[in-house]
C-alpha cells in the first residue's frame, strides 16, 4: 500500500469507530511509525456518521484529511453512503456483511470490495461489545500497518485496567483481533 | 485568613513541581499539547469560555492545573475571558485564554485594550469555519481577524502553527515573546490541529536551554503609591489627537524595530524554483508534501511558509519570489494570506496563482495536481486561480 | 500661603482639582470612597478600575494603582486581577450604563460567582459622557436625548433595580446596598462595609450611589438637589438590600430601611 497508508473508518455513534481508530494509531506510534488520526466532531458528527481518518507512515504525515483512502471500512448503511467518496481504484473497501440494500452505494471501481461478517461473529461467537475490535483486526490485516503482537499491546495499554478486574476480557479482545484478521485472510485467499 | 502551615507547604510544593522532566515523546491531540505547553511555560492562570474546537485545552488545563498549583476561571463569555486575561496579566501573571470563531470576534475588544496598554496577553486560537457559526471543524478564515482585529493597527504578534510540535513550541515561545516585547501574542492553530492526534516531543523549557522571561506586575506592586513610589495609572483613553498620535507612533516604531527579531519563516528549495508554493499553518504541510511529490516528478517546485503572520516575513518572501517564475498561494480562506503576500510583494512582477478553499482542508495531492494543471496552461489567463 | 482643602489621604493631590463637571456627583462618591479607604487603612493594597463614561475621568484620581478599561468591562478586569492576586483590594468603578447595560452580563455573573471584588456604580439616570442619552436607570417620563418626549415605559421598560437584582442572585456572604451622594456619611458607611466584606474575603460587594448630573439634566443647583433627594429615591430606595449572613446574625440593627420583596 501507499506510504502513508490512509484509512477511513466509518460507523454509527456507539459502534466504537473512534476508539479503535485511537488504539490502532497508538499501536503504530508505539512501534516507531508516524501516525495521525483525526475524528469528525461536533455538529458534523451529531446525528450523522462518525468517521475516523487515520494515516500511518514512515515520515511525518502531511494534511490530516485526505480525498482517497487505501482502506475504507463502513459499518452501517449510512456509513457506506458517506464513505463512497473516499474510494477509488486503489482502495480496498470493507463493509459489514449484515448491511443490506447498499449494493448500489458500493464503489464498483475499488480495487477490492469485501463484505465481512464481523457483526455476526461478534454476536454469535464472542460478544457484541468487541465488534469494533474485530474491525481493528481486519484493518491491520488488510493494511499491515502493525503486527498482531503490537496491536495486542496497544489494546492492553488502553483496556488493561479492565483486564485486571476481569482477565477473561483480555482473552475475548485478543480473540476478536485474531478473528478480524482471519476474516480478511479468508477473503484474500 | 491564614492557611494552615501543612496546607501552605503542600501548595508551595505543587507550585514548584515541574510538570515535565526533560524531554518526552508523546502521542496526543493538539489541544492537549497546548495545555502541557502552557504548564511547562509556567503559565499561572487560564481564563476561558467553552467553544469548539478549543474546549479540550480547558479540559486538560482544569485536570492538570491543580496538581501544579495553577488556576482556572470559567467566565460568562469571551468578552470576559479576554478582559479577565488582561486582569491576570496586569497582576503580573503568565495568564492566557483560548478561543475560536465567534469567540475570537468577541475577544478582539479586550485584545485592542491589550494593544493600547501593551499587555502581554497570550491567546490560542483554534480556527473554525466562518463567517458566523459556520462549522466547528476547521478553516484559516481567522487570519485577518487575529492579525488585525480591533480598532487599531494590528500591533500584535501572531504565530501560525502547523503541527503539534509547533503548538507546543510556539505556545511556550508566545509567553516569552509577549512578556519580552509587551505586545499581545497569539498562537493561530485550527480545528484540525486541535482535534487530531500525532506525535511530538514535550519538554521542560530549561532542558532545551529556554529561559522564561520574567513577569512583572503592572498594578499591585509593593509600597505605598504616592509615597514610596508613583501610582500606576494606566489608561487607554486620550484627550487629544496629538496625544494619541504620539503614543501610537511610538508603538509602531517600536514594533517595526523589534519585528526582525520576531519574524520566523521556513523556506525550502526556492533557489531554482519555477513555482513557489506559499502557505501557512496546517496547509503548509500539504504544500510541503506537494513540493516533495513534484520534485520527485522533476518539477522544480519550492516552498515558503510564514510562521509569523504578524509581523510578516515580507523581505524574506520578496527574496524567494524574485527568482521564481510563479507563486502559488494556497489557503483554507478566500484570500486572507493572499492579502499579506500581495502587500509584501507590492511592486514585484512575479505572477501569483491561487488555490483558495474557504473552510475546507487542502491535501498535498490536490495541490500537486493543480500545479501540474497550471504547467499545462489549462488554467486561466493571469496567474491561475481557484 | 495656599489653603489646601481637606481631602482624603488616598486622593492624589497632583491631579486635583478633578476633571468632573461642576455639580457632578462623581467627586462626592469618590470622596466617600477615599475616606472609606483611609479609615480602613487599605490604600496600599487597593487596585482601582474605572470604566468608560464619565467614570473614566477617575483614572488618575487616587494614589492607588489604577486601570481604566472599556465600557462595561471593569468588572472582568478586576475579577481577573483579584483571581490572580487575592491579596489586593480590587474596586470596579462604573456608571449605570456600564453596569446595567453593556456590562450587565459581567455584573450578573460576578455577583453569581460571589467574586471577592467590590463594584461601585454611580447612578445618574443617563449616559452622561456621550451627551445625555437614555440609560437603564432613566426614570419614567424623564426626558433625555434619545427619549426627547420622555421615557415611555411601555416601550423601554422601567429603571433597573441594581442592588435588588444583585442581592437576588449573589451569595449569602455578599453585600449589596444603595446610597446617595445626598447623604455622604451613610454612603461612606456602605462603602466601608462593602470593602470590609472584601477585606475579610467573604464575598461580592456592590454599592450603587445615586448621583447628580446637572450638565445633562439641565438643572440649576436647587433643581439638581431636588431631583437627587426627592425624585430619584421614589424609584431607587436607599438602604442596604443584602448584608452578609454572618453580619446579619451578629446584629439586626444593620438591616437597611428597605428589604427585598
Amino acid at each position: 500500500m501507499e506510504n502513508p497508508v490512509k484509512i477511513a473508518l466509518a460507523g454509527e455513534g456507539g459502534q466504537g469507530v473512534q476508539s479503535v481508530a485511537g488504539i490502532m494509531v497508538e499501536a503504530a506510534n508505539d512501534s516507531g511509525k508516524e501516525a495521525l488520526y483525526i475524528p469528525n466532531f461536533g455538529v458534523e458528527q451529531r446525528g450523522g456518521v462518525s468517521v475516523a481518518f487515520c494515516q500511518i507512515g514512515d515520515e511525518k504525515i502531511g494534511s490530516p484529511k485526505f480525498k482517497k483512502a487505501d482502506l475504507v471500512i463502513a459499518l452501517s448503511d449510512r456509513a457506506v453512503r458517506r464513505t463512497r467518496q473516499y474510494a477509488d481504484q486503489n482502495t480496498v473497501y470493507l463493509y459489514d456483511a449484515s448491511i443490506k440494500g447498499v449494493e448500489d452505494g458500493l464503489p464498483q471501481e475499488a480495487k477490492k470490495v469485501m463484505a465481512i461478517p464481523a457483526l455476526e461473529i461478534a454476536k454469535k461467537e464472542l460478544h457484541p461489545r468487541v465488534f469494533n475490535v474485530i474491525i481493528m483486526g481486519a484493518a491491520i490485516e488488510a493494511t499491515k500497518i502493525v503486527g498482531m503482537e503490537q496491536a495486542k499491546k496497544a489494546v492492553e495499554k488502553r483496556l488493561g485496567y479492565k483486564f485486571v478486574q476481569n482477565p477473561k476480557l483480555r482473552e475475548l479482545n485478543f480473540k476478536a483481533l485474531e478473528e478480524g484478521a482471519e476474516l480478511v485472510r479468508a477473503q484474500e485467499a | 485568613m491564614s492557611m494552615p502551615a501543612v496546607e501552605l507547604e503542600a501548595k508551595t510544593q505543587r507550585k514548584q513541581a515541574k510538570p515535565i522532566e526533560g524531554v518526552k515523546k508523546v502521542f496526543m491531540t493538539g489541544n492537549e499539547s497546548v495545555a502541557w505547553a502552557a504548564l511547562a511555560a509556567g503559565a499561572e492562570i487560564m481564563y476561558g469560555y467553552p467553544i469548539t474546537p478549543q474546549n479540550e485545552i480547558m479540559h486538560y488545563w482544569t485536570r492538570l492545573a491543580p496538581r501544579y498549583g495553577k488556576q482556572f476561571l470559567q467566565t460568562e463569555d469571551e468578552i470576559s475571558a479576554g478582559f479577565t486575561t488582561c486582569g491576570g496579566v496586569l497582576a503580573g501573571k503568565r495568564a492566557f485564554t483560548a478561543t475560536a470563531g465567534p469567540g475570537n470576534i468577541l475577544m478582539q475588544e479586550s485584545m485592542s485594550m491589550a494593544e493600547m496598554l501593551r499587555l502581554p496577553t497570550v491567546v490560542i486560537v483554534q480556527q473554525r469555519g466562518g463567517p458566523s457559526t459556520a462549522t466547528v471543524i476547521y478553516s484559516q478564515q481567522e487570519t485577518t481577524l487575529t492579525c488585525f482585529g480591533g480598532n487599531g493597527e494590528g500591533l500584535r504578534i501572531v504565530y501560525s502553527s502547523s503541527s503539534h510540535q509547533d503548538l507546543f513550541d510556539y505556545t511556550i515561545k508566545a509567553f516569552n515573546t509577549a512578556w519580552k516585547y509587551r505586545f499581545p501574542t497569539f498562537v493561530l492553530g485550527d480545528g484540525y490541529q486541535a482535534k487530531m492526534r500525532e506525535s511530538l516531543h514535550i519538554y521542560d523549557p530549561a532542558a532545551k536551554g529556554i529561559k522564561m522571561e520574567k513577569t512583572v506586575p503592572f498594578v499591585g506592586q509593593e509600597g505605598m503609591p504616592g509615597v514610596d513610589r508613583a501610582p500606576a495609572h494606566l489608561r487607554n483613553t486620550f484627550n487629544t489627537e496629538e496625544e494619541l498620535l504620539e503614543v501610537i507612533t511610538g508603538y509602531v516604531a517600536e514594533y517595526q524595530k523589534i519585528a526582525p527579531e520576531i519574524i520566523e519563516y521556513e523556506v525550502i528549495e526556492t533557489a531554482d524554483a519555477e513555482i513557489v508554493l506559499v502557505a501557512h499553518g496546517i496547509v503548509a504541510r500539504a504544500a510541503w508534501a506537494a513540493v516533495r511529490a513534484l520534485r520527485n516528478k522533476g518539477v522544480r517546485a519550492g516552498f515558503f511558509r510564514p510562521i509569523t503572520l504578524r509581523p510578516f516575513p515580507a523581505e524574506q518572501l520578496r527574496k524567494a519570489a524574485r527568482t521564481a517564475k510563479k507563486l502559488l498561494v494556497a489557503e483554507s480562506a478566500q484570500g486572507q494570506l493572499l492579502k499579506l503576500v500581495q502587500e509584501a510583494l507590492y511592486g514585484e512582477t512575479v505572477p501569483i496563482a491561487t488555490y483558495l478553499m474557504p473552510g475546507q482542508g487542502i491535501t498535498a495531492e490536490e495541490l500537486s495536481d493543480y500545479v501540474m494543471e497550471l504547467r499545462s496552461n489549462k488554467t486561466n489567463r493571469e496567474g491561475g486561480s481557484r | 500661603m495656599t489653603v489646601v482643602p481637606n481631602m482624603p489621604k488616598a486622593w492624589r493631590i497632583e491631579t486635583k482639582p478633578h476633571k468632573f463637571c461642576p455639580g457632578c456627583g462623581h467627586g462626592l462618591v469618590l470622596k466617600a470612597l477615599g475616606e472609606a479607604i483611609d479609615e480602613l487603612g487599605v490604600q496600599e493594597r487597593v487596585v482601582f478600575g474605572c470604566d468608560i463614561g464619565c467614570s473614566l475621568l477617575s483614572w488618575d484620581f487616587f494614589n492607588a494603582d489604577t486601570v481604566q478599561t472599556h465600557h462595561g468591562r471593569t468588572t472582568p478586569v478586576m475579577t481577573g486581577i483579584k483571581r490572580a492576586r487575592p491579596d489586593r483590594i480590587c474596586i470596579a468603578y462604573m456608571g449605570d450604563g456600564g453596569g446595567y447595560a453593556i456590562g450587565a452580563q459581567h455584573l450578573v455573573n460576578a455577583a453569581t460567582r460571589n467574586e471577592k471584588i467590590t463594584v461601585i456604580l454611580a447612578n445618574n439616570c443617563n449616559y452622561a459622557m456621550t451627551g445625555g442619552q437614555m440609560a437603564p436607570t432613566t426614570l419614567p417620563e424623564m426626558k433625555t436625548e434619545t427619549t426627547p418626549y420622555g421615557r415611555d415605559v411601555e416601550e423601554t421598560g422601567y429603571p433597573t433595580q441594581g442592588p435588588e437584582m444583585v442581592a437576588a442572585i449573589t451569595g449569602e456572604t455578599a453585600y449589596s446596598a444603595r446610597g446617595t451622594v445626598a447623604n455622604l456619611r451613610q454612603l461612606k458607611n456602605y462603602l466601608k462595609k462593602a470593602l470590609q466584606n472584601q477585606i475579610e474575603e467573604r464575598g461580592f460587594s456592590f454599592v450603587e450611589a445615586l448621583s447628580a448630573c446637572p450638565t445633562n439634566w439641565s438643572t440649576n443647583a436647587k433643581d439638581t438637589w431636588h431631583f437627587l433627594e426627592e425624585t430619584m429615591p421614589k424609584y431607587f430606595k436607599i438602604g442596604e438590600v443584602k448584608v452578609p449572613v454572618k453580619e446579619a446574625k451578629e446584629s439586626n440593627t444593620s438591616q437597611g430601611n428597605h428589604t427585598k420583596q
Side-chain angles (χ1 to χ4, degrees):
Chain A
M1 282 194 172
E2 290 286 311
N3 196 346
V5 174
K6 302 183 179 80
I7 305 170
L9 258 173
E12 299 296 314
Q15 282 187 316
V17 162
Q18 303 298 348
S19 48
V20 294
I23 299 174
M24 207 160 65
V25 287
E26 203 143 339
N29 178 69
D30 289 348
S31 71
K33 296 199 174 191
E34 286 296 340
L36 191 155
Y37 150 61
I38 186 166
N40 63 346
F41 55 88
V43 187
E44 187 192 11
Q45 194 183 85
R46 300 254 191 276
V49 174
S50 181
V51 188
F53 299 88
C54 307
Q55 296 179 73
I56 291 144
D58 297 323
E59 289 173 42
K60 276 280 178 198
I61 313 288
S63 38
K65 286 191 185 172
F66 42 79
K67 300 281 184 212
K68 300 296 171 193
D70 300 297
L71 172 68
V72 173
I73 304 185
L75 301 180
S76 72
D77 51 354
R78 292 202 305 172
V80 168
R81 294 182 208 288
R82 172 79 164 78
T83 55
R84 175 79 181 72
Q85 58 180 305
Y86 302 117
D88 66 6
Q89 67 282 356
N90 300 315
T91 304
V92 173
Y93 192 95
L94 287 182
Y95 68 105
D96 194 82
S98 67
I99 307 168
K100 298 293 173 211
V102 289
E103 286 70 19
D104 60 327
L106 295 171
Q108 303 308 327
E109 74 281 19
K111 186 158 86 183
K112 200 162 197 177
V113 178
M114 297 189 252
I116 56 168
L119 188 61
E120 193 189 333
I121 287 175
K123 279 183 178 166
K124 287 186 182 159
E125 294 176 30
L126 300 165
H127 190 283
R129 274 168 61 189
V130 294
F131 171 53
N132 61 344
V133 183
I134 298 177
I135 295 302
M136 178 176 161
I140 60 166
E141 178 61 32
T143 56
K144 309 280 194 288
I145 46 169
V146 289
M148 184 55 74
E149 285 318 301
Q150 195 68 43
K152 284 181 181 172
K153 258 193 237 169
V155 169
E156 181 80 37
K157 192 169 156 190
R158 184 71 72 92
L159 301 173
Y161 71 100
K162 284 187 180 172
F163 301 164
V164 173
Q165 290 163 0
N166 184 359
K168 278 190 179 158
L169 281 180
R170 178 184 288 113
E171 210 178 299
L172 182 68
N173 276 278
F174 287 0
K175 188 94 200 311
L177 273 180
E178 278 158 9
E179 290 267 359
E182 183 51 41
L183 287 176
V184 170
R185 270 197 299 273
Q187 292 260 350
E188 281 176 345
Chain B
M1 275 175 250
S2 64
M3 203 177 266
V6 182
E7 206 181 309
L8 194 67
E9 199 191 309
K11 203 176 163 189
T12 311
Q13 276 179 2
R14 280 201 298 277
K15 284 198 171 182
Q16 286 165 352
K18 281 203 166 179
I20 306 164
E21 296 285 351
V23 183
K24 221 166 95 183
K25 191 180 182 218
V26 293
F27 186 73
M28 54 172 63
T29 65
N31 281 338
E32 194 175 356
S33 72
V34 168
W36 278 108
L39 270 180
E44 286 148 300
I45 186 163
M46 177 186 189
Y47 305 87
Y49 185 80
I51 190 164
T52 308
Q54 71 79 20
N55 294 310
E56 293 82 6
I57 297 178
M58 296 191 299
H59 300 176
Y60 286 108
W61 179 263
T62 50
R63 277 158 186 74
L64 294 167
R67 295 190 214 159
Y68 303 99
K70 318 280 190 181
Q71 291 177 271
F72 174 75
L73 175 65
Q74 182 165 332
T75 58
E76 57 273 19
D77 55 25
E78 286 90 350
I79 299 174
S80 183
F83 278 102
T84 47
T85 302
C86 290
V89 164
L90 283 161
K93 305 291 181 186
R94 278 188 205 96
F96 76 108
T97 185
T99 192
N104 193 5
I105 299 175
L106 291 184
M107 234 167 242
Q108 292 309 317
E109 189 196 341
S110 54
M111 290 307 114
S112 88
M113 186 176 89
E115 275 184 46
M116 185 58 111
L117 293 179
R118 300 286 304 272
L119 302 180
T121 48
V122 170
V123 181
I124 316 298
V125 176
Q126 301 287 34
Q127 300 169 91
R128 50 185 272 169
S132 183
T133 316
T135 72
V136 300
I137 305 166
Y138 160 85
S139 86
Q140 294 189 313
Q141 295 170 287
E142 294 170 50
T143 302
T144 305
L145 180 69
T146 307
C147 290
F148 297 103
N151 55 336
E153 307 301 331
L155 299 175
R156 334 157 146 208
I157 290 146
V158 180
Y159 292 111
S160 172
S161 63
S162 74
S163 66
H164 288 8
Q165 194 63 58
D166 275 357
L167 278 175
F168 189 86
D169 294 347
Y170 286 104
T171 297
I172 291 174
K173 191 173 246 179
F175 285 103
N176 272 348
T177 307
W179 282 93
K180 183 171 181 188
Y181 300 108
R182 303 277 169 107
F183 287 105
T185 303
F186 298 77
V187 177
L188 186 65
D190 59 60
Y192 282 177
Q193 294 182 64
K195 296 279 187 175
M196 71 191 202
R197 283 174 195 276
E198 68 174 352
S199 65
L200 73 150
H201 289 93
I202 62 173
Y203 48 82
D204 169 17
K208 295 247 178 182
I210 300 169
K211 226 179 123 219
M212 295 313 295
E213 287 288 324
K214 254 185 75 180
T215 61
V216 184
F218 291 69
V219 294
Q221 301 234 30
E222 296 308 311
M224 178 66 88
V227 178
D228 306 324
R229 62 180 178 92
H233 282 156
L234 311 174
R235 59 167 171 161
N236 54 66
T237 313
F238 298 95
N239 290 20
T240 66
E241 295 160 57
E242 291 77 11
E243 221 179 337
L244 174 65
L245 178 68
E246 193 186 325
V247 170
I248 299 302
T249 307
Y251 287 1
V252 170
E254 204 175 330
Y255 188 85
Q256 286 168 346
K257 193 175 142 241
I258 62 164
E261 296 171 34
I262 296 170
I263 283 171
E264 290 188 42
Y265 62 99
E266 249 185 290
V267 58
I268 304 169
E269 307 214 47
T270 53
D272 67 338
E274 58 177 276
I275 185 160
V276 173
L277 275 64
V278 183
H280 79 97
I282 200 137
V283 177
R285 292 163 72 128
W288 170 229
V291 166
R292 275 187 307 182
L294 288 162
R295 285 268 165 186
N296 286 340
K297 283 188 208 166
V299 178
R300 283 178 286 112
F303 170 79
F304 189 91
R305 170 198 170 203
I307 297 173
T308 49
L309 297 178
R310 279 294 285 158
F312 193 80
E315 276 311 307
Q316 294 81 357
L317 179 61
R318 284 173 96 93
K319 196 176 157 226
R322 269 180 202 137
T323 53
K325 286 203 183 66
K326 186 176 270 192
L327 298 190
L328 171 60
V329 175
E331 59 177 318
S332 296
Q334 193 63 41
Q336 301 194 23
L337 170 65
L338 181 64
K339 274 185 204 142
L340 297 171
V341 168
Q342 283 168 334
E343 189 197 351
L345 295 184
Y346 182 75
E348 300 287 335
T349 51
V350 61
I352 303 174
T354 58
Y355 194 83
L356 310 176
M357 293 283 150
Q360 193 179 299
I362 295 173
T363 63
E365 292 77 11
E366 59 189 296
L367 281 182
S368 57
D369 287 351
Y370 188 62
V371 169
M372 296 310 282
E373 222 178 286
L374 284 174
R375 289 179 91 233
S376 65
N377 278 330
K378 272 190 286 189
T379 323
N380 134 17
R381 302 156 292 270
E382 289 170 35
S385 65
R386 177 168 290 175
Chain C
M1 178 182 155
T2 41
V3 179
V4 179
N6 194 18
M7 291 183 204
K9 200 172 113 303
W11 279 23
R12 185 164 177 80
I13 293 168
E14 292 87 331
T15 59
K16 305 297 169 294
H18 57 60
K19 306 174 184 76
F20 298 107
C21 302
C24 173
H26 273 296
L28 295 171
V29 180
L30 296 171
K31 183 173 185 208
L33 177 60
E35 289 175 357
I37 291 169
D38 287 354
E39 288 173 26
L40 292 166
V42 290
Q43 184 187 344
E44 198 172 342
R45 290 168 65 197
V46 165
V47 177
F48 182 73
C50 56
D51 217 68
I52 292 296
C54 297
S55 71
L56 80 84
L57 298 173
S58 63
W59 68 272
D60 60 355
F61 202 94
F62 291 105
N63 257 332
D65 288 353
T66 302
V67 192
Q68 173 258 317
T69 79
H70 285 191
H71 200 16
R73 315 303 176 215
T74 310
T75 307
V77 172
M78 289 299 117
T79 297
I81 294 173
K82 185 71 183 183
R83 288 272 176 161
R85 285 290 300 277
D87 60 328
R88 298 293 108 175
I89 304 301
C90 296
I91 303 170
Y93 185 58
M94 64 197 66
D96 36 34
Y100 298 152
I102 195 167
Q105 78 272 38
H106 307 311
L107 178 61
V108 164
N109 284 282
T112 306
R113 290 195 301 263
N114 212 5
E115 293 288 347
K116 294 180 183 72
I117 61 169
T118 301
V119 176
I120 303 168
L121 183 147
N123 170 1
N124 60 12
C125 299
N126 79 109
Y127 284 87
M129 179 63 94
T130 46
Q133 296 83 5
M134 181 184 74
T137 46
T138 295
L139 302 182
E141 308 301 327
M142 185 177 166
K143 285 181 181 166
T144 70
E145 289 298 328
T146 50
T147 56
Y149 305 106
R151 180 175 187 171
D152 178 355
V153 294
E154 288 295 313
E155 221 175 87
T156 60
Y158 284 90
T160 302
Q161 300 291 311
E164 291 79 359
M165 174 184 76
V166 166
I169 59 176
T170 192
E172 286 305 306
T173 53
Y175 177 84
S176 182
R178 182 186 288 110
T180 169
V181 295
N183 186 346
L184 279 189
R185 187 184 293 268
Q186 181 197 48
L187 178 61
K188 182 181 75 181
N189 188 29
Y190 291 168
L191 291 171
K192 272 177 79 174
K193 284 190 181 178
L195 292 174
Q196 193 65 34
N197 213 42
Q198 182 177 173
I199 293 163
E200 289 177 17
E201 299 177 16
R202 281 205 292 257
F204 190 65
S205 47
F206 180 71
V207 177
E208 177 186 297
L210 300 187
S211 184
C213 183
T215 302
N216 285 297
W217 293 352
S218 303
T219 45
N220 61 21
K222 186 169 157 264
D223 292 343
T224 301
W225 216 242
H226 180 82
F227 192 79
L228 178 70
E229 281 193 301
E230 303 298 329
T231 314
M232 287 177 76
K234 282 184 191 145
Y235 295 91
F236 304 117
K237 302 265 186 289
I238 309 295
E240 293 176 306
V241 191
K242 185 165 211 157
V243 291
V245 169
K246 192 181 146 208
E247 192 182 322
K249 274 181 195 153
E250 278 167 5
S251 143
N252 288 323
T253 55
S254 65
Q255 200 66 31
N257 59 7
H258 118 270
T259 46
K260 189 155 61 88
Q261 313 277 302

